[in-house]
């Protein structure tokens, strides 16, 4: 079964175009078989009868009346009658009509007749039925009968097919436009940006779709805002007792001992990190992208995370990107922190292509199994045993990376690094570069 690819407008237009082509082809075949064919056969038989009658009458008339008869036949039937044998090339039939005419004349005269042609006429040599030495040449027009009707009939069929195809295209386009707007809005909607509502217009089904989408976007945005407010409140309420706990630890350090104090301090730090990451994951970001000199921006970012980390460039370095700088910094920071925690020999590779920029965070370690590479982006999903990590963490680092990438249209992918380890690649579209 053939499956068409592409947009709804393209696919539907192609289907209608193929249908219109099939209609035209079928109509022409039936028109030729049921209308043109019988008309040609009737016209050929009629022409053959007129030629036979003209020849027989000519031979039966007295010699002094034949000139007058030649004029009458020319005026009334468009036939040229001549007893002067002309030297002409033999005719080559290029139409079914003339082939039918030849068959009809052969049947009427009982023997095969010879045909010749000049610039404007076909000629047939007819013998005298009285076996006289007189041989008659009759010329008739080389134009096809009913040609105008055939052209008009075919033109009407083709025009009707074109009208159907254009009407279908306009109709489908009017339907596809609201669907395309809904598709684009769905693709761009992440629940963190205010989204312009779809216009509620068009057929009933499309109006219902637009209204439902607008309601869904409103409810999801409201849900995320409520979740963010809830987590912000929880974060505030939790951080207050955490601060009191730190203060109590410092005041009672000698009574508790260094080991207990250090352990409790680490636990409080992990709780604080968990609260901060949970809040960041819930709130996302509403940062507006702006033009950033990418080379200096990335170098400063990496220097602030891990000094002396090597950065390898492939391609243009002097470029600017329309980038949400804080969000991108968070993405790269989380990837580097994750790599440093679980592996070693962490490095960056920047590949600048015509349409996008790829930033690879590479490490050498145990790597991430293939069947885990999608799961690690889930909130609180941990594979410490596979990565060799020993320090407990929130499990939200890569989830935040995934959320920010989806939010700003970046692409994050994990693959195996050369020589073992993980290659975390962030792809940024250059469509909005300066």
């Amino acid at each position: 079964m053939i499956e068409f690819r592409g947009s709804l407008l393209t696919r539907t237009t192609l289907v209608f175009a193929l249908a219109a082509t099939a209609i035209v082809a079928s109509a022409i075949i039936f028109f030729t078989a049921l209308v043109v064919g019988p008309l040609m056969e009737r016209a050929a038989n009629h022409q053959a009868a007129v030629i036979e009658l003209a020849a027989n009458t000519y031979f039966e008339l007295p010699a002094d009346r034949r000139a007058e008869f030649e004029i009458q036949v020319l005026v009334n039937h468009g036939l040229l009658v001549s007893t002067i044998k002309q030297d002409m090339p033999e005719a080559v039939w290029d139409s079914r009509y003339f082939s039918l005419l030849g068959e009809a004349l052969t049947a009427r005269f009982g023997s095969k007749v010879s045909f010749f042609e000049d610039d404007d006429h076909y000629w047939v040599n007819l013998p005298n039925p009285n076996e006289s030495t007189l041989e008659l040449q009759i010329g008739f027009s080389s134009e096809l009968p009913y040609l105008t009707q055939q052209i008009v009939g075919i033109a009407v069929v083709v025009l009707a097919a074109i009208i159907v195809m254009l009407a279908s295209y306009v109709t489908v386009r009017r339907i596809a436009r609201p669907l395309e707007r809904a598709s684009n809005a769905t693709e761009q909607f992440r629940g963190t940006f205010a989204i312009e509502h779809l216009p509620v217009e068009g057929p009933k089904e499309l109006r219902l779709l637009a209204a439902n989408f607008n309601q869904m976007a409103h409810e999801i945005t409201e849900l995320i805002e409520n979740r963010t407010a809830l987590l912000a409140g929880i974060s505030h309420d939790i951080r207050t007792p955490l601060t009191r706990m730190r203060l109590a630890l410092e005041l009672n350090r000698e009574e508790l001992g260094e080991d207990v104090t250090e352990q409790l301090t680490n636990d409080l730090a992990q709780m604080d990190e968990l609260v901060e990451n949970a809040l960041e994951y819930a709130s996302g970001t509403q940062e507006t992208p702006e033009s950033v000199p990418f080379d200096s921006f990335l170098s400063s970012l990496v220097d602030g995370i891990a000094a002396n980390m090597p950065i390898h460039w492939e391609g243009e370095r002097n470029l600017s990107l329309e980038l949400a700088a804080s969000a991108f910094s968070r993405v790269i920071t989380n990837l580097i922190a994750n790599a440093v925690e679980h592996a070693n020999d962490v490095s960056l590779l920047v590949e600048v292509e015509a349409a996008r920029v790829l930033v690879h965070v590479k490490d050498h370690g145990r790597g991430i199994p293939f069947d885990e590479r999608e799961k690690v982006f889930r909130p609180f999903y941990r594979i410490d045993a596979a990565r060799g990590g020993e320090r407990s963490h929130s499990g939200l680092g890569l989830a935040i990376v995934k959320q920010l990438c989806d939010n700003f249209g970046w692409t994050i992918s994990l693959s195996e690094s050369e020589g073992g380890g993980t290659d975390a690649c962030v792809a940024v579209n250059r469509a909005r570069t300066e």
Side-chain angles (χ1 to χ4, degrees):
M1 182 177 180
I2 299 176
E3 181 181 358
F4 297 113
R5 303 288 183 179
S7 66
L8 174 64
L9 179 61
T10 302
R11 295 169 61 182
T12 308
T13 303
L14 180 59
V15 169
F16 279 117
L18 293 176
T21 303
I23 291 173
V24 171
S26 301
I28 291 176
I29 291 173
F30 283 107
F31 182 73
T32 302
L34 301 179
V35 179
V36 177
L39 283 177
M40 280 188 177
E41 188 172 356
R42 184 182 303 175
N45 288 331
H46 175 74
Q47 184 79 315
V50 172
I51 292 174
E52 180 187 25
L53 179 62
N56 292 337
T57 303
Y58 185 89
F59 287 125
E60 292 175 359
L61 286 174
D64 58 345
R65 295 190 57 188
R66 288 176 176 172
E68 180 184 355
F69 178 73
E70 291 176 10
I71 296 175
Q72 291 178 350
V73 170
L74 176 62
V75 172
N76 296 327
H77 301 287
L79 297 180
L80 298 174
V81 180
S82 175
T83 56
I84 302 174
K85 190 173 183 179
Q86 305 176 69
D87 187 15
M88 293 177 291
E90 188 173 350
V92 179
W93 303 116
D94 56 359
S95 168
R96 175 164 172 72
Y97 166 73
F98 293 116
S99 298
L100 291 172
L101 179 59
E103 294 174 1
L105 288 173
T106 299
R108 288 179 178 275
F109 286 95
S111 61
K112 187 174 182 180
V113 294
S114 301
F115 292 91
F116 304 91
E117 62 180 331
D118 59 16
D119 293 336
D120 301 316
H121 295 81
Y122 286 119
W123 295 82
V124 57
N125 289 353
L126 300 175
N128 189 339
N130 299 323
E131 299 183 358
S132 141
T133 56
L134 181 63
E135 190 178 56
L136 195 62
Q137 277 191 332
I138 295 182
F140 50 91
S141 175
S142 60
E143 294 184 358
L144 292 173
Y146 305 111
L147 182 60
T148 301
Q149 293 88 332
Q150 295 177 41
I151 294 175
V152 170
I154 294 175
V156 168
V157 173
V158 173
L159 182 61
I162 293 175
I163 292 175
V164 170
M165 189 169 62
L166 290 178
S168 303
Y169 174 81
V170 172
T171 302
V172 174
R173 187 179 180 186
R174 293 188 62 183
I175 295 175
R177 276 184 172 180
L179 294 177
E180 184 179 1
R181 285 198 296 264
S183 176
N184 292 336
T186 303
E187 183 177 355
Q188 296 172 4
F189 178 62
R190 295 293 181 269
T192 55
F193 290 100
I195 186 171
E196 182 179 355
H197 282 189
L198 297 176
V200 182
E201 60 186 14
K204 177 181 178 182
E205 294 80 3
L206 294 180
R207 295 200 306 270
L208 184 61
L209 173 64
N212 288 338
F213 175 84
N214 294 338
Q215 181 65 25
M216 178 198 68
H218 172 73
E219 291 176 355
I220 292 177
T221 302
E222 191 175 65
L223 175 64
I224 294 177
E225 289 175 352
N226 292 338
R227 184 184 67 173
T228 303
L230 176 63
L231 287 176
I234 293 175
S235 173
H236 179 271
D237 292 343
I238 290 178
R239 281 175 174 171
T240 300
L242 287 178
T243 302
R244 289 200 298 265
M245 290 179 187
R246 289 194 185 92
L247 179 59
L249 282 176
E250 291 299 325
L251 294 176
N252 297 279
R253 179 179 293 273
E254 294 182 358
E255 297 180 11
L256 295 174
E258 288 297 327
D259 293 339
V260 175
T261 302
E262 184 177 355
Q263 181 62 47
L264 291 177
T265 301
N266 291 336
D267 291 342
L268 290 174
Q270 291 177 20
M271 291 177 64
D272 195 39
E273 178 188 1
L274 176 60
V275 171
E276 181 181 354
N277 288 341
L279 181 60
E280 183 175 0
Y281 177 77
S283 61
T285 179
Q286 295 185 354
E287 183 181 2
T288 301
E290 58 184 12
S291 180
V292 174
F294 195 64
D295 185 0
S296 58
F297 164 74
L298 189 61
S299 298
S300 300
L301 172 63
V302 174
D303 288 342
I305 302 171
N308 301 322
M309 178 177 291
I311 303 178
H312 307 285
W313 283 79
E314 293 184 2
E316 179 186 359
R317 295 193 64 159
N318 186 23
L319 76 156
S320 295
L321 290 180
E322 288 287 336
L323 201 64
S326 297
F328 190 78
S329 299
R330 184 61 169 169
V331 168
I332 300 301
T333 299
N334 284 11
L335 290 177
I336 292 177
N338 193 69
V340 170
E341 180 180 350
H342 297 290
N344 48 53
D345 296 333
V346 181
S347 63
L348 262 68
L349 169 64
V350 181
E351 293 181 291
V352 181
E353 299 178 351
R356 58 181 185 169
V357 176
L358 307 178
V359 180
H360 299 263
V361 179
K362 298 188 175 186
D363 63 51
H364 290 84
R366 296 186 180 182
I368 300 176
F370 180 80
D371 56 351
E372 300 280 352
R373 290 175 186 170
E374 291 295 328
K375 298 177 182 178
V376 294
F377 293 114
R378 299 175 184 173
F380 304 109
Y381 187 87
R382 298 181 179 90
I383 53 170
D384 292 336
R387 294 278 283 171
E390 297 179 356
R391 177 181 175 271
S392 177
H393 54 88
S394 67
L396 287 173
L398 291 181
I400 293 173
V401 168
K402 177 65 173 175
Q403 185 191 54
L404 292 176
C405 286
D406 290 343
N407 193 58
F408 290 100
W410 308 327
T411 302
I412 176 67
S413 61
L414 300 177
S415 60
E416 184 176 354
S417 182
E418 298 87 347
T422 300
D423 180 355
C425 177
V426 180
V428 180
N429 199 327
R430 291 188 65 183
R432 299 179 59 186
T433 54
E434 289 187 336

